[in-house]
Amino acid sequence: FFDSCRRIRSFGEVSPQRNPGRVREAVVSTQSTGDISFVACYYTTSWGEGAGECSKGSRWYRIFIALLPPWFRFAQSVRRYCTSKDWFPHAVNAGKYFSSMLVVVLSASAGYVADKEGKDLLGVELFTVYVFFACVSTLYAYWWDIKMDWGFLDHTSTDHKNKFLRDELLYASGKKFVYFIVMGFDLVMRCVWTINISLADWNFADKQIIVTVTAVLEVFRRSVWNFFRLENEHLNNCGQFRAVRDINVRVITETEKKRKEQEDEEEEESDKEDISKRMSRGSTRRTSRNSSVVRTGDTPV
């Protein structure tokens, strides 16, 4: 965990000998850090009496902390682009996190204008701009999930046996419908931010309850995302000969272990005998050659 935090600070500098784990991506996810400012404000304002004041999204430190996760990933992507000069996928990935930062700024700006003018959030013109870019960012992130992170929609597929997916499927015994269900699930979970607008801002339910529910849903979505991200990365490692696909995890018994050791010893003895025979044949050839030379030298001209 601490090693992942150090790698976050390094803005994407990865040692070629070590492949960073997925902890870093979970740590810098917006949901895992988004409530830090609220907790700090809640327990520093008369132990809970300032809950209403802390819920305001226009407070500057809430904006700052909300911008940190996409900024870290944006900086990592830009640095990798500058190092490799490959605009895809690094520059495209940087664009995804830039859109996330833009959504955070527009959301905070719309909340600030609504508080300043004493209007409802839905009555602020900037709110429409926020919703538009939030939809763009959501679709952008969803496309990245299924195309880049999960490897679906593979247009380079050779067999085309799994349309809209990829050639190899490891989970659910290769049942395609499971993958399509997960693709739909990820899209729905990507759109849970609309619940905050449709329910909380229209006073259908308490905002803190809705935020708690959507946070749990986001954690669940991230967990599902990790499973299929791991599957795709493992298949890529196998394709590049950095790992093997199937691993035998059966426990080796003591009898099998002794038999294996005996086979190794017999193989070693056999190798020694082969070497001895080759050396003996080589010595015989040299002796025969020398005898032929001696007989040729004794023959009178």
Side-chain angles (χ1 to χ4, degrees):
F1 173 79
F2 291 108
D3 181 68
S4 298
C5 293
R6 179 184 61 81
R7 291 176 182 272
I8 293 172
R9 186 186 60 190
S10 65
F11 295 122
E13 183 179 3
V14 180
S15 171
Q17 288 80 15
R18 297 186 61 185
N19 191 17
R22 294 295 155 197
V23 179
R24 180 184 63 224
E25 296 184 1
V27 170
V28 299
S29 63
T30 304
Q31 201 65 46
S32 63
T33 57
D35 289 334
I36 295 178
S37 59
F38 178 84
V39 172
C41 177
Y42 187 87
Y43 286 106
T44 55
T45 53
S46 301
W47 285 80
E49 295 180 4
E53 186 68 19
C54 296
S55 299
K56 294 183 178 180
S58 59
R59 300 183 72 89
W60 68 269
Y61 53 83
R62 297 203 68 181
I63 302 173
F64 174 76
I65 294 179
L67 285 174
L68 285 180
W71 162 252
F72 281 130
R73 297 296 287 158
F74 174 78
Q76 289 172 352
S77 300
V78 170
R79 180 167 183 171
R80 290 176 180 175
Y81 168 72
C82 295
T83 301
S84 64
K85 303 301 180 183
D86 294 331
W87 70 272
F88 188 86
H90 304 308
V92 180
N93 197 21
K96 182 186 71 170
Y97 290 107
F98 178 79
S99 67
S100 299
M101 291 190 292
L102 184 61
V103 169
V104 172
V105 173
L106 290 174
S107 175
S109 301
Y112 175 78
V113 172
D115 293 340
K116 185 177 181 180
E117 297 180 358
K119 296 181 179 179
D120 186 72
L121 185 61
L122 299 178
V124 178
E125 295 180 357
L126 193 59
F127 179 75
T128 305
V129 181
Y130 155 70
V131 172
F132 172 78
F133 280 99
C135 292
V136 172
S137 179
T138 299
L139 295 177
Y140 199 160
Y142 175 69
W143 173 83
W144 191 271
D145 284 346
I146 63 175
K147 174 64 178 177
M148 302 303 299
D149 292 336
W150 293 352
F152 299 154
L153 306 179
D154 187 8
H155 66 281
T156 62
S157 175
T158 55
D159 297 335
H160 299 285
K161 59 183 179 180
N162 299 321
K163 193 174 182 181
F164 301 117
L165 299 176
R166 54 175 130 79
D167 288 342
E168 295 186 80
L169 305 175
L170 300 182
Y171 294 148
S173 300
K175 295 180 181 178
K176 301 178 184 179
F177 73 91
V178 175
Y179 289 84
F180 287 111
I181 291 175
V182 172
M183 291 171 65
F185 168 81
D186 187 71
L187 178 60
V188 173
M189 291 298 100
R190 279 287 185 182
C191 297
V192 294
W193 59 270
T194 59
I195 299 178
N196 293 331
I197 299 175
S198 58
L199 297 181
D201 293 331
W202 288 353
N203 297 322
F204 284 128
D206 184 79
K207 185 174 183 179
Q208 297 306 319
I209 296 177
I210 297 175
V211 169
T212 302
V213 173
T214 54
V216 173
L217 292 176
E218 171 61 18
V219 172
F220 184 59
R221 184 200 69 82
R222 173 66 67 166
S223 300
V224 175
W225 176 91
N226 278 323
F227 276 103
F228 291 90
R229 179 68 180 91
L230 180 62
E231 177 196 29
N232 185 45
E233 183 166 351
H234 179 64
L235 290 174
N236 289 336
N237 289 337
C238 294
Q240 299 177 17
F241 303 102
R242 295 183 300 200
V244 294
R245 172 175 171 176
D246 299 318
I247 301 176
N248 185 12
V249 295
R250 185 175 62 86
V251 178
I252 300 176
T253 62
E254 192 66 26
T255 303
E256 292 176 339
K257 185 178 180 181
K258 291 180 179 179
R259 186 170 63 248
K260 178 63 175 174
E261 292 176 352
Q262 184 178 359
E263 291 176 355
D264 292 340
E265 291 177 357
E266 292 177 355
E267 184 177 355
E268 185 177 354
E269 291 294 333
S270 177
D271 292 340
K272 289 181 180 180
E273 291 178 1
D274 291 340
I275 294 174
S276 177
K277 290 179 180 179
R278 286 197 296 268
M279 292 178 64
S280 178
R281 285 196 296 266
S283 177
T284 303
R285 291 194 191 97
R286 285 194 299 270
T287 304
S288 177
R289 195 181 307 114
N290 293 336
S291 299
S292 176
V293 171
V294 171
R295 286 195 299 269
T296 303
D298 293 341
T299 304
V301 178

